[in-house]
Amino acid sequence: METNSRVSDLLQAIKNGRHRIGEIEFRANNSNDRFVICHHADTERSQAPDHGGLEIHHGPEDSRRLSLYAEDGSYRFLKAQRNLRSGWLMLLESPADLKLALDQFYPAALGLWLAHRRETLEIEHLRQKLDRQSGMYRRAKMLTDEQAQSLVPATCAAAPGCARRILWQISPDQPLAAGPASSATGIADRVPPDEAIPLLCAAPCNHFIAECLATAKKQPPPPPSAP
Ligand code: SF4
C-alpha cells in the first residue's frame, strides 16, 4: 500500500541523515520507532531536561491546530509560510504517526519529494494552470508574462515568505526570470540539502492564482471582438 511505502521511505530518509522539513526538526530514538518533532528554533531546548519547558503534545492529533496560526495569531493561509509558531514539542509513538504529523504540517510534501527523486513528478507551468481557469478566475488568463514574472517574488518570497522551492516556469519555454531559486530553496534555515526533505512547488498554488487574477483585473478588459 502507498501509505506503508511512504512510511518506509520516510524512515529510510531519517536513516540517511535527514532531520528537517520546512521549519520542523524531527529525530528518532535509537531503535527508530519513536520520534520527536519541534520547530527547528527549539531543537536545542527540546533536548534539555524536561524538554526545556516546551509545550508537550502527545500523538499527531494536534498537528493541524499547531499549523493554523502564527506566533502573532495571524492565520497561516499557506502551510509552507515561514511563520510556524515555536515553543512546542510533539512526541510520536510510531513511524506512521510521524508521517501523519508531518503530512498535517506540510501536506503532500513527502510524496512530491519522492516523485521528484524518481523523476516522475508532473510539473504544471503557470500558463497551463491559467488556461484551465474558469468562472470568475477566467480573467486571470489576461495576465502578461511581465506581470507573472513580477508576481513570483512579490507573492512567493514576500515576508513571511513561502518555504517551497518553485519547480514550475511561466510556460515550458519561458523560465522564471530569477531562476527556480527566485522564491526559496525549499529548505528552512539553510541546513545542508542532504539533511532535509525539501518543500517543492510543482504548480502555482491557489493563492498565487488569486494574485494573478487580482493583477489581471487591474488592466482594462479587452475590447469586444468585431461582429
Ligand atoms: S506558488 Fe508555490 S512557492 Fe509560491 S506561494 Fe504558492 S506554494 Fe508557495
Side-chain angles (χ1 to χ4, degrees), residues 78 155-156 162 164 166 168 183 201 203-205 207-208:
L78 286 176
T155 304
C156 307
C162 177
R164 290 192 186 268
I166 296 177
W168 48 267
S183 67
C201 178
C205 67
H207 170 59
F208 192 88

Side-chain angles (χ1 to χ4, degrees), residues 34-121:
R34 291 185 183 190
F35 305 86
V36 172
I37 68 173
C38 63
H39 190 286
H40 71 85
D42 293 327
T43 305
E44 216 176 302
R45 262 177 93 187
S46 74
Q47 298 178 59
D50 295 334
H51 301 303
L54 294 171
E55 172 188 301
I56 308 287
H57 297 262
H58 294 270
E61 288 74 21
D62 289 341
S63 310
R64 187 171 171 276
R65 188 169 60 76
L66 286 167
S67 71
L68 282 182
Y69 297 97
E71 203 88 55
D72 62 4
S74 58
Y75 177 64
R76 299 178 68 243
F77 55 89
L78 286 176
K79 292 277 192 182
Q81 263 177 337
R82 291 174 178 273
N83 58 359
L84 187 67
R85 92 168 167 84
S86 57
W88 55 271
L89 170 147
M90 186 173 284
L91 301 167
L92 299 158
E93 298 291 321
S94 70
D97 277 1
L98 172 67
K99 182 180 173 295
L100 262 178
L102 296 182
D103 277 348
Q104 290 289 334
F105 284 104
Y106 297 117
L110 183 62
L112 286 173
W113 173 61
L114 292 168
H116 189 51
R117 277 163 65 98
R118 290 168 186 151
E119 299 184 359
T120 56
L121 181 61

Side-chain angles (χ1 to χ4, degrees), residues 117-132:
R117 277 163 65 98
R118 290 168 186 151
E119 299 184 359
T120 56
L121 181 61
E122 286 185 23
I123 311 287
E124 186 173 34
H125 299 296
L126 179 62
R127 285 289 166 215
Q128 294 167 322
K129 183 135 182 179
L130 290 178
D131 283 348
R132 287 199 297 108

Side-chain angles (χ1 to χ4, degrees), residues 11 14 19 27-29 34 39 43 52 79 84-85 96 109 114 118 122 133 139 173 188 190 203 210 215 223:
L11 274 181
I14 293 171
H19 57 89
R27 63 174 185 271
N29 65 356
R34 291 185 183 190
H39 190 286
T43 305
K79 292 277 192 182
L84 187 67
R85 92 168 167 84
L114 292 168
R118 290 168 186 151
E122 286 185 23
Q133 301 304 307
R139 213 165 144 190
D173 52 8
R190 303 290 185 268
T215 303

